[in-house]
Amino acid sequence: MKLCMIGTGYVGLVSGVCFSDLGNDVVCVDKDTKKIELLKKGNIPIYEPGLTELVTKNYKNGRLKFSNDLKKSVRDSDIIFICVGTPTKKNGSSADLSQVYNVIKEITTSINKYKIIITKSTVPVTTGDVIEKLLFKKNKKKTFSVVSNPEFLREGEAIRDFSYPDRIVIGSNDKKSNRILRSLYAPLLSKGAQYLNTSRRAAELIKYASNAFLATKITFINELANLCEKLNINVEDISIGMGLDKRIGGRFLRAGPAYGGSCFPKDTKAITSTAKKHKINLSVIKTVIKSNKHRSNILLDRVYEILGKKIKGKKISFLGVTFKANTDDMRDSSSLKMIPILSKKGAIVNYFDPTGFKTELSKIKNVRYLDSIKKTVEGSDLVIIHTEWNDFKSINFKNLVKRKKFSIFDMRNICSPIKIRAQGFKYYSIGR
Ligand code: UDX
């Protein structure tokens, strides 16, 4: 089939290249001409394991194309995926849909034959209804279907999540588009993915509800970790004990710092904002947002305790600053909350991240990027393992640096407390 992906970020580029790898003809469109030129040269602007190889392979075999001519690309395609950003509005909580509606304006005069217009970006419930009305204004013969097909891709695992989804959700109110999309996704369905056809609004809400529930699971175990620390219980035992109940499931029960990323913070705010418009109070999700926001203060209090309440002049090293491992994404990373506060209190902060220097941290006083774990840890009073990169899982702190007077605060529970303490270090972690 002929597909057009509008937007070449995590969702558009990954979905586009994976669709091309399934044998479809795909054109990925972006208004950023520089980005399109880079993509044509095989330079991938996002850090996603395995993506470069897949793009190179499918660009070479001609199934994957890049363009900044949106109208032509839409005219030449049968299925149009809208994959542009829907960030949280500045000083608000609802989603900013300006990019979506700008795209719709361009599509509306390019419907030269039947098309399926799909929102793959996460959009508030009823957005599909608005899009349908906007398109209908200039296309009275209604030669199109508007469908919601939310993505469930995790950064760092996006290709795997596309290729082996638990479910394909198609929010479509008509049989024709439903039949065509079931055939588009047939290769994934034959590998075991479940196909779920719902109303368009239900599909839009499934996305928000899923992310909000995952954020709730994480916040739940993070708060239980606080209790475990008081009761000298290992929170990992609780996660396993709970997770063995098939009604609960063991995933997304790893206690850590506040959750971050480009989705959970945005989507939890957006769903509560939608509910508020309809005078419904999603109190559980609002509590999750509040609890997660407070979590960085709880972890900072632990840092102050570990350093004996004396922060000024202390050398603190961060191993990892991205919001999770296997991504270079800093959006809403808990390090962006903790490091500025430590700097304000007079700490000297060095950080190392496998994805390199971060502009988001470049303007903060006494914060420095160092290009190796050893250099970062040298002379520290406290080493904080902030992100669960594999690079940090088997560090031998004993042989790493000469001065061994530092403590270790493992915010991801990736080290063995027994092993580290046996090496003579003071070791702290989460819920253990
Ligand atoms: C998420 C959803 O998982 C994905 O389905 C959706 O399409 C986009 O949003 P992503 O934000 O890329 O994906 O990362 P994810 O792996 O979900 O982690 C989100 C945050 O939760 C990270 O800060 C991560 O560190 C944290 N997390 C995750 C935990 O603290 N504990 C866990 O057990 C899992």
Side-chain angles (χ1 to χ4, degrees):
M1 293 188 197
K2 290 185 174 307
L3 316 180
C4 172
M5 316 305 289
I6 303 176
T8 57
Y10 285 101
V11 176
L13 186 57
V14 171
S15 308
V17 70
C18 289
F19 275 127
S20 70
D21 207 46
L22 292 176
N24 298 289
D25 290 320
V26 179
V27 56
C28 290
V29 178
D30 205 297
K31 62 181 185 223
D32 180 340
T33 43
K34 273 205 216 81
K35 195 172 179 183
I36 290 296
E37 287 322 304
L38 276 172
L39 284 165
K40 285 179 177 171
K41 293 192 189 97
N43 300 342
I44 311 300
I46 56 175
Y47 181 102
E48 189 60 47
L51 188 58
T52 304
E53 297 79 0
L54 218 48
V55 169
T56 311
K57 170 191 163 194
N58 287 287
Y59 188 64
K60 267 207 189 104
N61 67 30
R63 282 202 296 264
L64 179 65
K65 293 185 176 58
F66 297 106
S67 165
N68 47 41
D69 184 344
L70 190 145
K71 292 184 191 290
K72 180 180 179 322
S73 303
V74 168
R75 279 197 304 274
D76 296 349
S77 307
D78 307 310
I79 304 175
I80 319 298
F81 285 89
I82 300 173
C83 309
V84 292
T86 56
T88 306
K89 275 185 186 148
K90 297 227 173 348
N91 56 42
S93 54
S94 57
D96 172 358
L97 297 178
S98 55
Q99 294 181 57
V100 170
Y101 292 131
N102 288 341
V103 164
I104 296 301
K105 256 188 235 132
E106 299 215 44
I107 289 180
T108 195
T109 52
S110 311
I111 300 184
N112 55 346
K113 58 182 173 7
Y114 174 72
K115 298 206 189 286
I116 302 176
I117 318 283
I118 296 181
T119 52
K120 193 162 260 303
S121 304
T122 304
V123 292
V125 183
T126 73
T127 301
D129 305 351
V130 176
I131 290 174
E132 196 167 61
K133 283 197 192 85
L134 289 171
L135 292 174
F136 197 56
K137 276 192 192 133
K138 291 253 172 59
N139 299 277
K140 292 291 179 219
K141 290 200 286 315
K142 195 157 175 341
T143 53
F144 62 88
S145 300
V146 177
V147 171
S148 165
N149 171 215
E151 49 77 24
F152 300 100
L153 308 179
R154 290 167 296 160
E155 287 183 26
E157 324 268 345
I159 294 174
R160 188 183 310 128
D161 287 348
F162 180 96
S163 311
Y164 300 95
D166 291 332
R167 76 295 203 196
I168 306 280
V169 174
I170 299 293
S172 144
N173 300 339
D174 69 83
K175 287 197 175 56
K176 183 172 183 180
S177 58
N178 187 22
R179 180 173 42 74
I180 293 169
L181 292 173
R182 189 184 274 273
S183 131
L184 171 68
Y185 280 108
L188 302 185
L189 301 176
S190 62
K191 285 193 283 184
Q194 297 297 314
Y195 185 89
L196 175 66
N197 176 219
T198 65
S199 70
R200 189 168 53 210
R201 290 189 180 187
E204 291 166 337
L205 186 55
I206 287 169
K207 170 68 186 174
Y208 281 105
S210 302
N211 270 4
F213 186 76
L214 290 169
T216 303
K217 260 190 117 173
I218 293 163
T219 305
F220 181 88
I221 202 68
N222 282 343
E223 290 194 341
L224 274 193
N226 299 338
L227 179 60
C228 287
E229 283 156 17
K230 297 293 179 204
L231 296 171
N232 198 18
I233 293 172
N234 184 338
V235 70
E236 290 170 331
D237 294 337
I238 309 304
S239 301
I240 296 165
M242 286 173 64
L244 288 170
D245 182 328
K246 288 197 174 42
R247 294 169 302 173
I248 299 172
R251 296 177 66 186
F252 281 63
L253 280 177
R254 283 191 327 273
Y259 63 72
S262 60
C263 298
F264 287 175
K266 162 176 78 73
D267 294 351
T268 45
K269 282 185 207 137
I271 191 172
T272 51
S273 165
T274 299
K276 193 173 169 202
K277 277 192 203 115
H278 299 275
K279 297 193 177 22
I280 295 292
N281 176 22
L282 295 179
S283 60
V284 171
I285 300 171
K286 281 160 83 173
T287 307
V288 165
I289 294 169
K290 200 161 146 246
S291 171
N292 189 63
K293 207 165 160 200
H294 182 59
R295 183 146 187 81
S296 296
N297 301 331
I298 292 176
L299 296 191
L300 282 170
D301 286 344
R302 297 225 18 226
V303 169
Y304 306 149
E305 260 168 61
I306 294 168
L307 291 172
K309 307 256 187 241
K310 295 188 196 71
I311 304 294
K312 198 167 171 39
K314 288 286 168 71
K315 283 196 174 176
I316 301 174
S317 309
F318 271 74
L319 296 185
V321 286
T322 53
F323 84 92
K324 66 171 196 172
N326 301 318
T327 182
D328 61 353
D329 201 341
M330 287 291 286
R331 284 176 287 184
D332 264 310
S333 174
S334 48
S335 66
L336 292 176
K337 296 184 181 70
M338 292 192 276
I339 291 177
I341 293 172
L342 291 169
S343 159
K344 263 201 201 92
K345 287 181 174 291
I348 292 145
V349 179
N350 292 337
Y351 73 91
F352 168 79
D353 192 286
T355 58
F357 170 81
K358 299 297 167 199
T359 45
E360 295 87 346
L361 294 169
S362 58
K363 302 211 172 22
I364 306 168
K365 198 163 135 272
N366 291 334
V367 174
R368 192 173 48 153
Y369 166 70
L370 294 171
D371 62 4
S372 81
I373 295 171
K374 183 180 168 62
K375 284 182 204 161
T376 307
V377 172
E378 201 89 65
S380 298
D381 296 299
L382 174 61
V383 173
I384 292 175
I385 301 177
H386 173 269
T387 312
E388 69 287 15
W389 285 98
N390 284 335
D391 311 53
F392 310 143
K393 287 184 177 165
S394 45
I395 296 176
N396 183 331
F397 286 102
K398 200 162 166 50
N399 304 339
L400 189 65
V401 288
K402 281 203 197 68
R403 182 180 176 278
K404 307 182 197 319
K405 286 238 172 311
F406 54 87
S407 300
I408 298 164
F409 185 6
D410 178 1
M411 294 188 175
R412 295 291 184 163
N413 291 350
I414 59 174
C415 298
S416 146
I418 299 160
K419 198 165 143 254
I420 302 274
R421 287 177 182 134
Q423 291 180 343
F425 292 101
K426 282 199 185 123
Y427 172 82
Y428 305 84
S429 58
I430 301 283
R432 302 193 293 181

